[in-house]
Amino acid sequence: MTEKLSITRRSALALSASAVAAAALPSQSFAQEAGVLRVASPWEWTSNEPTDTGYIMARMQIAETLVMVEPDGKLVGGIAESWTVSDDRLTWRFKVRAGVVFHDGSPVTAEAAAASLRRSLAGESMQQIPVDSLSTEGDTLVLKTKTPFSHLPAVLVDYASVILAPASWGADGKVSRVIATGPFRITSIDGKTVIELERFDRYWGEKPKVARARYTAIANGDTRTNVAIAGDQDIIFTTVPAATPRIDAAGQMKVESLTIPRVRAMAFNSGLPQFADVRVRRAINMAIDRRGIASAILRHPGSAATQLLPSAVPAWHDAALPAYPFDVAGANALLDQAGWVRGTDGVRAKDGVRLAAKMLTIANRPELTVMGTAMQAQLKAIGMELTVEPGPSAAIPAAIQAGTMQMTMFARTYVNVPEVIATIIPDFTRERSTWGTLNWPGRDRIKALTDEYVQSFDEARKATLRREILKIIQDEVPVAAVAWFEHTVAVNRRVKGLVIDPFETRYMLHKVSLG
């Protein structure tokens, strides 16, 4: 058990004051209000577009998709009450639920759902659908694919596919107002940080128990910690793992955690001379003390990653897959074998190239920078010089697309849709991924396997393909998993009934009451 630290009431009040100041949220108070459910997370509202902030719309249950996933992984009807696929596996029919209305009172029709869905096909997962046509037949949306696409219902859980009313779009084709179908509707948006919500009493499903909710984006991890210590929110998602003892000891909020299909990983530009040789990537993998990082920084030894995904995702975790040991001597031997020689400064070099890299990481996940700093020291022991550069999350995909990425350290969820293949495809089959590797020559082999996987409806064959995909990733290390993710949520003692969704698609706020 983690030892709890004590904190005085006076220091808690001081932290509360500093937290409010640090948050710098205009016209916003953290004061407790009767009947208002206060929710915070790191993520800012940067636009009204579903492909950008649809994950906030879905998590806060403002907007909904045709298909949804329950916390136990079961796919259930959202705006579509049911679906079928034709015998040739090319035509899918989604029956739109009767009686559903948008937040402006207009009816949700198959035509409106199809119009919204067409606009969402630019989303990362949605781009994978081999769409032949999208049409309607009465109350049914009909989607035909050019080739079989076995996990289509799972892809339609993607937040980019939330269904918005026709009135949401302005003359310029952009979303001017978010008019959706969820149990909460937006009453106001204050910049990028605060969204005021109210219960939508005409909601088709289970009605929320609270009448109002407020979403606050608190990007800074230390500020989220201070706010949690002071108890100035009701639910804070993605708290800093190392802060758990302090938050619990303060007594205002209790941190709950759940292992989820998200991984903290480092990725390489395999086109650089430093990382083109798989032996170098393997050596770096062996030089990382994952258990030490998980214990000392994340305060959860069990999160030390042995492969891409944890056993919490049983279909995509191969217990027979050998893990890389923490073996500094073995790592040095591999680098010697690959021809990398230590210089007088202790840094290895080969053909005039130093074994050095800049590793981009994400500032609003503060544990990543701390992990990167620990890895600096660990990699120094094998003659590698690592520079850690935290920044906004958008900097990583931008560097990958620009071809300037050397290394990255990020937190990646593999269930943006509840089928991991939808994330494997963009991360491991493209020359320039969104979040994963860059210039990795093994991508063509992965693509052949994923192409077969998405067209197959044979579960036994798909299980074999999963094992083959995982083995290639483990052997060739285009991306190295460092630590699996414990989703940490600080919960105020007045909150009752919170359910944590491991898929992070919904915050399940409709089940929450305030005591």
Side-chain angles (χ1 to χ4, degrees), residues 259 306-307 309-319 484:
T259 302
T306 58
Q307 57 184 276
L309 290 169
S311 58
V313 197
W316 283 92
H317 179 89
D318 184 355
W484 298 316

Side-chain angles (χ1 to χ4, degrees), residues 453-511:
Y453 187 96
V454 299
Q455 294 189 44
S456 176
F457 284 74
D458 181 338
E459 290 305 316
R461 177 57 183 158
K462 291 172 83 167
T464 299
L465 292 168
R466 285 194 292 269
R467 287 192 295 271
E468 292 179 19
I469 290 167
L470 290 171
K471 186 176 187 307
I472 292 172
I473 294 170
Q474 187 84 338
D475 287 349
E476 299 200 6
V477 207
V479 168
V482 178
W484 298 316
F485 215 91
E486 289 291 312
H487 188 30
T488 50
V489 183
V491 185
N492 197 295
R493 57 189 177 186
R494 75 171 185 154
V495 170
K496 312 295 180 186
L498 177 67
V499 176
I500 300 176
D501 174 17
F503 295 93
E504 298 183 274
T505 59
R506 291 178 290 165
Y507 286 156
M508 311 300 286
L509 302 179
H510 62 293
K511 295 187 176 295

Side-chain angles (χ1 to χ4, degrees), residues 394-414:
I396 290 178
I400 291 172
Q401 293 309 306
T404 58
M405 180 269 259
Q406 297 176 351
M407 283 180 69
T408 60
M409 176 80 155
F410 53 87
R412 178 66 156 154
T413 180
Y414 278 85

Side-chain angles (χ1 to χ4, degrees), residues 17 28 134 147 186 197 230 283-284 290 317 378 450 454 476 489 507:
Q28 173 62 25
L134 181 58
T147 54
I186 296 172
L197 307 167
I284 292 171
R290 288 166 169 79
H317 179 89
Q378 293 169 6
T450 59
V454 299
E476 299 200 6
V489 183
Y507 286 156

